[in-house]
């Protein structure tokens, strides 16, 4: 009788330790999502700021400046629900403005243009990487949260179900060639 109680107690402790380890892992994944989201937000803000700065520099033709400025401004001011759409529109505006490789040559020819072109190319290149890191963390947390043990024992607590950040982040080819 005593041996049976000891084995039951050992099994309960082992299950408790396993559930505690799983809850800790889930908590670390949620922290990783928060950090990745902050990094993604920083990269998106940097891209919009550089695009807005370039649009107001007077180097681009007026139509391209207006298109780029409005898209960058909308991306910076977008509410959370509209952020993915606004960032996708900024990506489309960047591709439209830099569809002509001559546009980038004009920027580089202007005083300080080489640095501005380099900064924009780096900002545009980093956004897909930051989004990929964020979405990978979300994917891992979702996979763990789908397990029955996590749902049954409510190991996720009151944390919201993580959502991926889906946007069009394809950079203009002229800027990609510049970044390489």
């Amino acid at each position: 009788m005593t041996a049976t109680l000891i084995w039951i107690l050992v099994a309960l402790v082992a299950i408790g330790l396993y559930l505690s380890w799983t809850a800790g892992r889930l908590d670390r994944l949620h922290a990783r999502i928060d950090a990745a989201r902050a990094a993604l937000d920083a990269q998106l803000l940097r891209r919009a700021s550089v695009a807005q700065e370039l649009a107001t520099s007077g180097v681009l033709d007026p139509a391209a400046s207006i298109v780029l400025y409005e898209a960058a401004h909308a991306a910076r001011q977008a509410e959370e629900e509209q952020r993915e759409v606004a960032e996708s529109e900024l990506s489309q505006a960047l591709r439209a403005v830099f569809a002509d490789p001559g546009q980038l040559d004009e920027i580089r020819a202007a005083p300080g243009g080489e640095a501005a072109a380099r900064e924009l190319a780096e900002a545009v290149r980093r956004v897909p990487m930051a989004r990929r890191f964020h979405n990978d963390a979300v994917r891992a947390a979702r996979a763990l949260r789908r397990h029955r043990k996590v749902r049954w024992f409510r190991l996720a607590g009151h944390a919201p179900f993580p959502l991926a950040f889906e946007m069009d982040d394809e950079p203009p080819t002229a800027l990609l060639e510049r970044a390489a």
Side-chain angles (χ1 to χ4, degrees):
M1 181 72 159
T2 309
T4 305
L5 288 176
I6 291 174
W7 280 113
I8 290 173
L9 184 63
V10 167
L12 288 175
V13 168
I15 290 170
L17 286 174
Y18 177 71
L19 290 175
S20 175
W21 175 80
T22 303
R25 180 171 170 228
L26 189 58
D27 187 49
R28 288 189 300 276
L29 283 171
H30 280 260
R32 193 171 111 197
I33 289 171
D34 290 342
R37 182 58 188 238
L40 175 61
D41 286 341
Q43 291 305 323
L44 291 171
L45 180 63
R46 180 174 181 233
R47 180 181 77 154
S49 297
V50 171
Q52 201 169 21
E53 189 176 308
L54 188 61
T56 59
S57 68
V59 177
L60 299 172
D61 64 86
S65 292
I66 290 172
V67 167
L68 194 57
Y69 180 82
E70 286 181 355
H73 182 71
R76 289 183 70 178
Q77 300 298 320
E79 297 292 326
E80 193 59 37
E81 311 76 56
Q82 298 298 317
R83 183 98 188 263
E84 293 172 351
V85 173
E87 294 295 345
S88 294
E89 288 173 355
L90 177 56
S91 295
Q92 293 166 1
L94 284 166
R95 281 197 306 271
V97 168
F98 292 105
D100 176 25
Q103 191 77 271
L104 191 59
D105 293 334
E106 289 178 26
I107 292 171
R108 282 191 274 180
E114 186 67 33
R118 187 178 329 106
E119 189 175 359
L120 182 62
E122 288 173 5
V124 164
R125 184 178 50 85
R126 288 180 180 166
V127 167
M129 288 188 297
R131 190 175 75 86
R132 192 172 315 119
F133 289 139
H134 175 267
N135 288 349
D136 286 346
V138 166
R139 197 172 302 113
R142 282 178 160 185
L144 185 58
R145 286 184 69 157
R146 284 191 185 110
H147 289 193
R148 277 189 220 123
K149 66 180 174 273
V150 173
R151 290 192 320 258
W152 288 350
F153 292 103
R154 301 183 197 280
L155 299 181
H158 296 289
F161 196 73
L163 299 174
F165 194 87
E166 298 300 333
M167 65 172 270
D168 173 11
D169 61 1
E170 184 181 333
T173 55
L175 288 176
L176 274 183
E177 293 167 359
R178 177 71 187 113

